Amino acid sequence: MDLIQGGNAPVPALPLTVRVISGGDVDVSAFRLYENNKVQDGVDMVFYGQPRSDDGAITLEGESLNTSFNVNLGAINAAVQKIAFTATVDGGQVIGNLRTLKIQVEQGGNVLITCDVPMNGRSEAALILGELYRRNAEWKFRFVSQGFNGGLKPLAEHFGVDVADEPAPTPTPTPTISLQKVTLSKDKPTISLTKQGDKFGKIRINLNWHRGSTHKGFSLFKRDNGVDLDLGAFVRTNDGDRNVIQALGSRFGSLNHSPFVELQDDDRTGDSTDGEWLFVNGNQWENISEVLVFAFIYEGVPNWESTDGVVTIHLEGQPPIETRLTEGHSGHGMCAIARLINNGGTIKVERINRYFTGHQQMDEAFDWGFRWKAGSK
Amino acid sequence: MATVSLSKGGNVSLTKTDPTMKKVLVGLGWDARSTDGQDFDLDASAFLLGENSKVRSPEDFVFYNNMRAAGGAIEHTGDNRTGAGDGDDESLKVNLDTLPADIAKIVFVVTIHDATARSQNFGQVSGAFIRLVNEESGKEIIRFDLSEDASTETAMLFAELYRHGSEWKFKAVAQGYKGGLSSVCAEYGVSAN
């Protein structure tokens, strides 16, 4: 069925795909809206930086010219009245420059509803394409096709999302959504990051953990009943090379040369209180295909619960991404924490949080194919 | 006195609700411009109808180009081009005492100006309402919030005010038309071009 803008049609309360197809680069987002047509929280927005709603009922796939939202209507919180789907362009562009833009609703591979946005004279930089909404105990879809000349900021504000002020003048200012800290968890394991400027800059990965009471002058890491956690990474570069970066065997890597990942010297003196740091040269991201970040208990009893490890990934200009090492398996001293995957130039951060008895088991689980022998640092 | 809130199809006696009311301010509102892309211009109009549900003459069609009718018993207060503001977007004043006896009914219609050219319709309008205020006391007497799931309609009959014996009654209608103002004109016997 073709709708004209303003038109609506009922949709079945089944898992649906809402697809946006455009003739040019566009960012699409979904907003969960409540009684007053507003979001309640930043988590009500599903977009490239947060591709999955907290309940998993809305997920984002694809990018740019063909993006789709998988929406499980049956799993949408009863308080959510509407899910609005939007398209924004930046860099001084307007929707009219996209040449074509359409939104369609699919169910089980069949296209139920097709909506072609009339492009003539489109002055908006952000458009509400359509909305799924509740009406008399059923779900309907409306082709809205109304928008904002000012782009993402007025659009987000329209839906009640706090938008941070634009950063100091840059050639193409992109408003940043203030999401503060992003926590990856079992229920929300991935996030995709796109560049804020030309490059990602230096990506800093920190592992910190609880060391019990601290005594000045003593080793914080090397207490009798404490643990020494080591941070490391498997790195695969675009040319197919695989590298292990870790203090064990003094394989610290290099930031400026392949594999563009470097571990800060293992500080075993106790002076360091902010844990261990691993750096990824984001300006060379095009040369990296995957970074698997892991931690292992170098000394001490594998007891992850009391270790209370936290891994935080810092990217310039983006909120820190945090994941906690919980649900640890006692006796398993190795934890695969997260993967940074090069997904068409963006960084897809995926929380893993799986525990292994050692390097070799972890290697096998993720199919890296290293040869292993015991070592000491 | 609390406002009587009507839902679609409901009606209420004005005479019983507020026996003192002689002059009625009919306020209509909508929220079409939640966005700033294209201009939306909605217009309120009224048709004064005889027993046969037709206008007596084209002058009984009150709209932006004909602001007074029935010897001033009904008066349009002016066009609001943007829909801005929280209150009424447009309003009409009706003097019940001086309305000619052969006017049996007044229907209040809202249309989207140039809807076809701008590809606009009531599916893009939200928060529409019509309310009756006692002009002398300033009190809102009756209110109808249209919660229609409107779609491609370009004209909407919001409500009607009609004689019932010696009383005046008000009915919440919310009937959409796809043909814009001209289709409503045709229905009530106004030839418009």
Side-chain angles (χ1 to χ4, degrees):
Chain A
M1 180 198 311
D2 287 343
L3 288 183
I4 65 165
Q5 52 185 6
N8 71 65
V11 293
L14 295 168
L16 300 176
T17 298
V18 177
R19 188 180 305 279
V20 178
I21 299 165
S22 78
D25 278 348
V26 70
D27 285 325
V28 298
S29 312
F31 293 81
R32 284 192 306 212
L33 306 174
Y34 298 81
E35 194 68 65
N36 54 0
N37 268 329
K38 304 277 185 209
V39 300
Q40 289 183 343
D41 203 305
V43 303
D44 289 316
M45 197 178 163
V46 177
F47 67 114
Y48 60 88
Q50 185 169 266
R52 186 177 185 273
S53 64
D54 51 356
D55 57 4
I58 307 171
T59 57
L60 172 69
E61 277 178 18
E63 60 181 314
S64 197
L65 305 185
N66 187 329
T67 320
S68 59
F69 290 95
N70 296 310
V71 183
N72 186 352
L73 287 179
I76 299 292
N77 185 318
V80 174
Q81 297 300 310
K82 210 180 255 188
I83 304 160
F85 300 91
T86 65
T88 53
V89 290
D90 52 24
Q93 300 278 306
V94 295
I95 292 288
N97 296 348
L98 294 173
R99 301 192 311 277
T100 61
L101 182 62
K102 77 174 163 184
I103 182 166
Q104 58 190 34
V105 181
E106 304 166 6
Q107 202 278 310
N110 297 316
V111 178
L112 305 179
I113 298 169
T114 305
C115 311
D116 279 301
V117 176
M119 300 303 277
N120 196 14
R122 278 283 166 201
S123 60
E124 300 93 334
L127 205 62
I128 304 167
L129 292 169
E131 58 195 20
L132 287 164
Y133 62 104
R134 294 183 196 271
R135 178 77 187 173
N136 299 333
E138 63 170 12
W139 282 95
K140 298 184 81 174
F141 181 83
R142 181 191 307 283
F143 180 24
V144 177
S145 190
Q146 288 176 285
F148 296 88
N149 296 339
L152 183 58
K153 193 169 192 282
L155 174 78
E157 283 167 354
H158 174 66
F159 290 133
V161 178
D162 288 334
V163 178
D165 279 337
E166 295 187 7
T170 55
T172 57
T174 40
T176 49
I177 307 300
S178 172
L179 292 171
Q180 288 154 17
K181 191 162 60 185
V182 177
T183 301
L184 298 182
S185 63
K186 214 168 170 178
D187 295 333
K188 181 184 171 298
T190 64
I191 185 165
S192 284
L193 303 168
T194 45
K195 292 168 201 156
Q196 294 279 308
D198 279 355
K199 301 283 184 186
F200 285 108
K202 190 175 183 181
I203 302 163
R204 300 176 299 129
I205 301 170
N206 175 251
L207 167 67
N208 206 349
W209 64 95
H210 183 68
R211 301 166 197 94
S213 60
T214 57
H215 301 278
K216 212 173 174 71
F218 284 86
S219 164
L220 300 177
F221 296 177
K222 295 282 292 168
R223 285 155 44 80
D224 287 346
N225 56 353
V227 290
D228 182 10
L229 283 185
D230 267 5
L231 182 66
F234 290 173
V235 184
R236 184 182 283 121
T237 43
N238 256 358
D239 53 15
D241 266 7
R242 291 158 299 157
N243 290 272
V244 182
I245 309 296
Q246 59 182 22
L248 190 66
S250 297
R251 306 169 68 109
F252 291 100
S254 168
L255 202 56
N256 296 317
H257 299 96
S258 186
F260 308 111
V261 177
E262 187 173 317
L263 182 68
Q264 191 180 58
D265 280 356
D266 189 19
D267 183 353
R268 306 181 80 202
T269 65
D271 289 342
S272 169
T273 55
D274 65 348
E276 297 211 14
W277 289 91
L278 183 75
F279 304 112
V280 178
N281 187 343
N283 296 338
Q284 298 287 344
W285 184 246
E286 69 265 25
N287 294 315
I288 300 171
S289 58
E290 180 175 341
V291 180
L292 171 68
V293 182
F294 60 82
F296 63 98
I297 299 178
Y298 178 68
E299 277 184 29
V301 180
N303 182 347
W304 295 95
E305 290 300 327
S306 67
T307 307
D308 196 20
V310 181
V311 173
T312 313
I313 302 171
H314 302 265
L315 264 89
E316 286 171 14
Q318 310 237 17
I321 302 160
E322 175 185 290
T323 183
R324 290 182 173 269
L325 308 184
T326 52
E327 308 133 35
H329 194 301
S330 50
H332 288 189
M334 186 95 200
C335 176
I337 298 164
R339 282 196 279 202
L340 277 62
I341 298 167
N342 188 329
N343 185 7
T346 65
I347 302 178
K348 182 181 171 197
V349 183
E350 178 187 316
R351 179 187 192 253
I352 302 171
N353 210 37
R354 282 175 60 189
Y355 296 81
F356 301 93
T357 53
H359 287 78
Q360 194 164 347
Q361 288 73 20
M362 185 173 76
D363 176 0
E364 284 164 7
F366 295 102
D367 213 14
W368 281 71
F370 292 110
R371 287 189 302 149
W372 297 99
K373 59 179 187 188
S376 167
K377 58 183 177 184
Chain B
M1 180 169 34
T3 299
V4 174
S5 199
L6 290 180
S7 48
K8 183 176 177 170
N11 70 74
V12 64
S13 163
L14 251 67
T15 315
K16 288 182 183 135
T17 307
D18 184 359
T20 69
M21 183 153 67
K22 303 289 179 228
K23 291 181 173 176
V24 186
L25 182 80
V26 181
L28 302 101
W30 47 79
D31 185 11
R33 289 175 51 94
S34 57
T35 63
D36 63 4
Q38 277 177 308
D39 281 342
F40 249 98
D41 184 11
L42 280 79
D43 298 309
S45 51
F47 293 84
L48 311 184
L49 306 176
E51 285 294 344
N52 61 353
S53 284
K54 302 287 180 200
V55 293
R56 300 171 305 175
S57 73
E59 283 73 42
D60 287 341
F61 168 38
V62 181
F63 71 119
Y64 46 84
N65 281 341
N66 180 33
M67 308 282 277
R68 286 173 89 238
I74 182 162
E75 198 175 330
H76 197 305
T77 64
D79 186 15
N80 174 327
R81 290 288 177 91
T82 63
D86 275 346
D88 301 333
D89 290 301
E90 294 195 12
S91 56
L92 298 101
K93 292 177 177 175
V94 182
N95 188 335
L96 297 177
D97 280 353
T98 61
L99 268 176
D102 57 352
I103 292 172
K105 186 194 279 187
I106 306 172
V107 300
F108 298 95
V109 176
V110 175
T111 53
I112 301 174
H113 182 67
D114 219 5
T116 311
R118 296 180 185 176
S119 301
Q120 295 171 339
N121 52 53
F122 274 91
Q124 298 168 302
V125 175
S126 59
F129 67 87
I130 182 168
R131 65 190 196 120
L132 300 195
V133 175
N134 182 330
E135 203 191 327
E136 285 163 332
S137 70
K139 284 190 177 134
E140 182 180 278
I141 309 301
I142 300 165
R143 185 181 176 96
F144 170 36
D145 288 297
L146 284 78
S147 58
E148 281 319 281
D149 192 24
S151 185
T152 56
E153 298 86 354
T154 49
M156 183 74 71
L157 197 174
F158 277 35
E160 55 193 36
L161 197 58
Y162 60 102
R163 291 186 198 270
H164 180 76
S166 59
E167 295 180 343
W168 279 98
K169 295 187 83 173
F170 181 77
K171 184 177 182 187
V173 180
Q175 157 92 47
Y177 294 83
K178 298 199 189 230
L181 190 55
S182 60
S183 66
V184 185
C185 285
E187 171 154 354
Y188 297 121
V190 179
S191 44
N193 49 12

